[in-house]
Amino acid sequence: MASAQHPGSPGWAGLMAPSAAGARQEAPAAGPGLPPPGPEGDSDAAGSPSAHSGMTTRELQEYWRGEKGSWKPVKLLFEIASARIEQEKLSRFVMYQIVVIQTGSFDSTKAVLERRYSDFETLQRGLARAFPEEIEDVAFPKKHLLGNLAPGLIAARTRAFRDYLRQLHAIRCVRRSREFIDFLTRPELREAFGCLRAGQYVRALELLGRVLPLQEKLTGHCPAAVVPALCAALVCHRELERPLEAFAAGERALERLRAREGHRYYAPLLDAMVRLAYALGKDFVSLQERLEASQLRKPGPRGLTLKELAVREYLS
């Protein structure tokens, strides 16, 4: 964590050594920052009016306008663009290419991802445990003992999986669930964070650039859910000596942490942003003041740096 003095001053302590870091019923925390689905996950104490008592009237108005905008439902269209047979050492399977597009306007950030039948099967099992009544009328393509690679069956499953995803997304509690969001984003996020840990920053940014737009569309009810990925982008850009791009990613992350000062990424992110702002000749004083105010409100042991936090994500 940063010291209470400005960077470049004699007392600047910089980033310190790490210390111990700080759902839904029995479901594990499959992705960082995701709240339980449904009404319970749509609000938190930090979002209540009492949490913003220090804001001016104008700041409050701007905050609630932003909150209202983030609650607009995003309509997504799911298509299965293609299906191909993959060969492994001891087995063959079909890989389905899923395209996710936001409807209602031109979407320049359409998502393209690939999943196999077993991935859909894992999703179905998880949803059947979590939402047995909600999805009881949603048809899932059954597995056959023989003929799974026949062209006719693949074509039928392609259409069935398209309808399956569309029906799931139409169910509010399902589309906000960890199971559904993880199915669409977790493999790419895990690979991206794995690349970050390995120092493959260009590859990590490529993956983050593909998955972040989709993650943002899926988690409009919980803007903080995308903070780990945005902070990973900041770290990658900083390691590649791209301070402007790193600062821009940090600004996006801070925007999603408004009134969430207790979030585990808040102080490490501010600390990184102070350093970047100072190096870029930007206003670092206001960022430093926010960091100091946060530390005064919630004093505690010095925590992990932003990079140390990022490399710990998606390890399980």
Side-chain angles (χ1 to χ4, degrees):
M1 300 287 289
S3 71
Q5 301 183 40
H6 301 317
S9 65
W12 174 250
L15 302 177
M16 305 301 291
S19 65
R24 211 176 143 9
Q25 292 195 57
E26 299 177 3
L34 285 177
E40 297 83 5
D42 291 341
S43 62
D44 53 50
S48 64
S50 61
H52 312 301
S53 56
M55 289 185 177
T56 65
T57 301
R58 181 178 178 181
E59 287 172 336
L60 276 171
Q61 289 173 341
E62 290 177 353
Y63 174 79
W64 287 117
R65 272 199 298 270
E67 285 296 295
K68 184 178 180 181
S70 70
W71 280 59
K72 292 179 181 177
V74 174
K75 295 182 179 179
L76 299 180
L77 177 66
F78 294 85
E79 293 287 350
I80 308 296
S82 64
R84 70 176 190 278
I85 298 175
E86 288 283 310
Q87 177 73 56
E88 286 189 346
K89 289 183 179 180
L90 301 175
S91 64
R92 301 171 73 197
F93 58 90
V94 179
M95 187 69 78
Y96 298 90
Q97 185 185 78
I98 307 168
V99 178
V100 188
I101 305 172
Q102 184 173 337
T103 63
S105 61
F106 175 73
D107 186 6
S108 62
T109 59
K110 69 178 181 181
V112 180
L113 50 142
E114 292 187 325
R115 299 291 184 267
R116 53 190 292 185
Y117 183 93
S118 59
D119 297 321
F120 282 96
E121 204 172 29
T122 299
L123 170 64
Q124 174 66 10
R125 284 197 299 267
L127 292 176
R129 288 192 300 267
F131 310 103
E133 296 181 1
E134 289 83 352
I135 70 165
E136 64 180 349
D137 294 327
V138 179
F140 183 80
K142 294 182 180 180
K143 182 176 286 187
H144 298 270
L145 293 177
L146 298 172
N148 285 293
L149 303 181
L153 181 57
I154 292 175
R157 279 186 176 171
T158 297
R159 294 188 295 271
F161 279 138
R162 176 200 63 195
D163 295 339
Y164 174 71
L165 291 174
R166 290 182 178 184
Q167 290 179 64
L168 291 180
H169 188 261
I171 304 172
R172 182 176 181 270
C173 62
V174 171
R175 70 170 175 264
R176 294 186 171 193
S177 68
R178 284 187 176 89
E179 292 85 355
F180 186 71
I181 294 171
D182 279 354
F183 169 79
L184 293 169
T185 62
R186 187 175 177 83
E188 287 74 19
L189 286 170
R190 286 194 66 178
E191 185 180 354
F193 278 87
C195 290
L196 187 155
R197 283 189 290 274
Q200 300 171 6
Y201 303 118
V202 174
R203 174 60 178 163
L205 284 170
E206 178 188 339
L207 290 164
L208 289 169
R210 282 164 39 192
V211 72
L212 254 171
L214 177 58
Q215 191 185 24
E216 289 176 321
K217 292 169 186 173
L218 292 167
T219 59
H221 60 290
C222 180
V226 301
V227 166
L230 287 171
C231 288
L234 182 158
V235 170
C236 291
H237 282 302
R238 188 179 61 187
E239 295 296 323
L240 292 169
E241 298 184 357
R242 301 172 181 170
L244 280 172
E245 290 87 344
F247 192 82
E251 285 186 315
R252 290 173 63 192
L254 280 177
E255 176 69 16
R256 285 154 179 80
L257 287 180
R258 286 181 303 177
R260 294 292 301 274
E261 294 183 10
H263 195 282
R264 61 200 173 97
Y265 269 85
Y266 185 75
L269 174 58
L270 274 176
D271 186 72
M273 290 293 283
V274 168
R275 288 173 167 267
L276 284 168
Y278 181 76
L280 290 167
K282 294 180 178 290
D283 173 24
F284 68 88
V285 175
S286 61
L287 292 168
Q288 181 72 27
E289 289 173 347
R290 288 173 64 182
L291 177 59
E292 292 169 359
S294 174
Q295 292 169 334
L296 286 173
R297 278 191 290 269
K298 189 178 179 181
R302 296 186 185 277
L304 301 174
T305 66
L306 194 65
K307 185 175 182 179
E308 288 165 345
L309 268 179
V311 298
R312 294 178 179 222
E313 296 287 0
Y314 293 96
L315 282 174
S316 59

